[in-house]
Amino acid sequence: MTRDADPAPSRPLQGDAALLRAVGSLALAAAVINIIVGGGIFKMPAALSAQVGAAAPLALLAGALVMVPVALCFAAIGSRASATGGPYTYVSAVFGTLPGFLAGALMWICNVASSAGVAAALSLQVASLWPVFDAPLPRALLLLGVYAAIYALNAFGVKLGARAVMALATLKLVPLFLLVVVGLAFVDTTQISFAFADVPSWTALGAAMVMVVFAYSGVETALIPGGEVRDPSRSVPRAALSAILLVVLLYLGLQIVCQGVLGPALASSSVPIAEAAGKLWDPARIALLVTACVSMAGFLLGNLLGSSRLLFALGRDGYLPQAFGRVSAAHRVPLLALAAHAGIACVLAVLGNFEALVLISGGAVCLVYVMVGIAAWRAQRTDLRERGEPFVLRGGPLVPGLAVFGMLAILTTLSAREWTAIGVAVVVLAVVYAVLVGLRRRVGA
């Protein structure tokens, strides 16, 4: 009697070939939405209103115009370089190891800080429902439990993690879209403006744009597990573009409803979406607070799924210990990378707060977007391709040029403190890279 397949190996496997390509277009789009619609959306309407007043929807539209070319660049380069690693893989494939390492390391620093920041915000949302979690020890135990749960969901295979992502995306999107559909009938249109004349100043608009780009960001993290995506040349463009368009409509609708229902009170609200829902129907306030918790948990789950694969890619290529590049024999997931990302993020969440943890995240993400935009143009010009027919950007350098120009324009609004922090991070990463390369050469010799 013969066997049709070999038994599962009993020890960990190494590299992309050991990963399962189990993520399709729908699951990938859900992952992108889960990452983008995280914790920021539940604070953004009030923050934008405080910055630019009634013209906040205009900032969202301007941000969408900036982000669509970025999403197109990710769709193009993601369909050409399909290995796990996201921006690290894309930039490395086009420009070599040092730029790729810097993109990947910056991306991971942004991701671990944003994960910790959203987890810290999640603990505040939970404490508003159950005040016992205000105390330091219960809060720390809550955060530990949250990270243990999302680790477990990811550790039992990419299929289970992807299904959990889709379930959480559905649970949080339904109440938010329902609020938009119902709330639009109660909007006071005098509180809404799409006129540039109503923007207080260009400085205020620039600050609002930084917030908007941070709120729209996330596609780069969700696309990191490229080695586990089925038919990436088709799945990546479909997922990236459909998710971005859906999120733009949702964010614009939520901003209009919150502004049109709460009016001037929106700028000072700590839970604007929940308060807008409560204004329409009192029990809806609690429902939206719960939705916020689900949304943040979904963000953390998607963040861990993507960011652990970035550590996996760095281990696979020798820029971290090789153990990070191994996957478990049973479920084909990088357990050490999962544990490292979840553990570090959990410690930062316990010790820090949302504002401090995302201080340079928006600016660093803009730098990564610049690198990916240039890489997308270069990859198309040299006709880089790996699996299937790639997604082609029409107009040559036009779309990448728009993406790069938009990000550079936003970067000019950063303060000297933020630029200093980013510069120090880049220098430190370059030193780390040089040390790791030196060690590799010494071992090879």
Side-chain angles (χ1 to χ4, degrees):
M1 183 175 176
T2 61
R3 299 175 66 106
D4 295 327
D6 293 331
S10 58
R11 56 191 179 84
L13 305 173
Q14 191 83 16
D16 271 43
L19 298 173
L20 296 177
R21 289 192 177 269
V23 180
S25 297
L26 186 59
L28 187 58
V32 175
I33 293 169
N34 234 355
I35 290 288
I36 298 176
V37 186
I41 181 57
F42 294 93
K43 292 186 175 182
M44 188 181 64
L48 289 181
S49 179
Q51 284 289 341
V52 290
L58 185 63
L60 280 169
L61 285 180
L65 292 176
V66 170
M67 284 302 297
V68 166
V70 172
L72 287 168
C73 288
F74 269 96
I77 188 68
S79 70
R80 293 177 179 274
S82 60
T84 292
Y88 162 67
T89 295
Y90 305 157
V91 176
S92 294
V94 177
F95 296 116
T97 55
L98 176 57
F101 174 81
L102 290 175
L106 275 173
M107 197 68 260
W108 181 76
I109 289 172
C110 292
N111 288 351
V112 75
S114 61
S115 176
V118 169
L122 172 61
S123 69
L124 296 178
Q125 296 283 336
V126 173
S128 68
L129 294 170
W130 297 286
V132 66
F133 289 106
D134 270 329
L137 181 59
R139 177 179 179 272
L141 292 175
L142 169 68
L143 291 169
L144 182 62
V146 167
Y147 276 103
I150 63 173
Y151 172 84
L153 285 171
N154 275 286
F156 285 102
V158 68
K159 286 185 178 180
L160 178 60
R163 288 169 184 164
V165 166
M166 290 180 68
L168 288 172
T170 302
L171 285 173
K172 69 183 176 185
L173 288 177
V174 169
L176 292 174
F177 273 107
L178 186 61
L179 174 60
V180 171
V181 171
V182 174
L184 286 174
F186 298 90
V187 166
D188 178 1
T189 56
T190 63
Q191 304 294 330
I192 312 295
S193 174
F194 289 93
F196 276 104
D198 290 326
V199 175
S201 67
W202 284 108
T203 302
L205 181 61
M209 287 291 291
V210 173
M211 295 180 189
V212 169
V213 169
F214 179 79
Y216 281 140
S217 66
V219 62
E220 70 286 345
T221 302
L223 295 182
I224 288 174
E228 293 157 287
V229 175
R230 293 195 303 265
D231 194 8
S233 65
R234 293 167 60 89
S235 295
V236 170
R238 288 178 178 177
L241 297 177
S242 61
I244 285 290
L245 292 174
L246 188 66
V247 169
V248 167
L249 292 175
L250 176 62
Y251 280 15
L252 186 60
L254 288 172
Q255 186 70 40
I256 290 172
V257 168
C258 288
Q259 243 173 261
V261 171
L262 297 179
L266 172 62
S268 58
S269 174
S270 58
V271 284
I273 291 179
E275 287 191 1
K279 197 88 169 178
L280 301 175
W281 185 44
D282 192 57
R285 184 180 188 277
I286 299 298
L288 265 296
L289 284 174
V290 173
T291 299
C293 294
V294 171
S295 177
M296 292 176 186
F299 170 86
L300 295 174
L301 183 66
N303 180 283
L304 180 57
L305 175 66
S307 301
S308 62
R309 272 56 175 185
L310 180 52
L311 293 179
F312 163 85
L314 291 170
R316 174 198 64 200
D317 295 343
Y319 300 115
L320 285 176
Q322 287 190 353
F324 282 91
R326 296 183 185 133
V327 300
S328 63
H331 300 291
R332 305 292 183 90
V333 293
L335 292 178
L336 180 58
L338 284 169
H341 186 78
I344 294 171
C346 184
V347 170
L348 291 175
V350 171
L351 299 178
N353 58 70
F354 181 83
E355 290 76 16
L357 288 164
V358 299
L359 179 64
I360 66 168
S361 184
V365 165
C366 286
L367 284 174
V368 173
Y369 287 171
V370 168
M371 298 171 78
V372 169
I374 298 173
W377 165 74
R378 181 66 180 168
Q380 182 165 300
R381 187 175 181 183
T382 59
D383 198 26
L384 173 71
R385 59 178 68 201
E386 292 180 5
R387 289 175 176 264
E389 191 66 24
F391 176 73
V392 177
L393 294 172
R394 304 298 177 188
L398 177 61
V399 173
L402 289 173
V404 171
F405 176 79
M407 292 301 109
L408 291 177
I410 292 171
L411 284 168
T412 62
T413 68
L414 294 178
S415 68
R417 181 182 178 184
E418 290 161 340
W419 271 117
T420 300
I422 294 173
V424 169
V426 170
V427 170
V428 169
L429 291 173
V431 171
V432 170
Y433 172 84
V435 171
L436 290 171
V437 169
L439 290 174
R440 288 176 64 192
R441 288 175 178 170
R442 181 175 297 179
V443 171

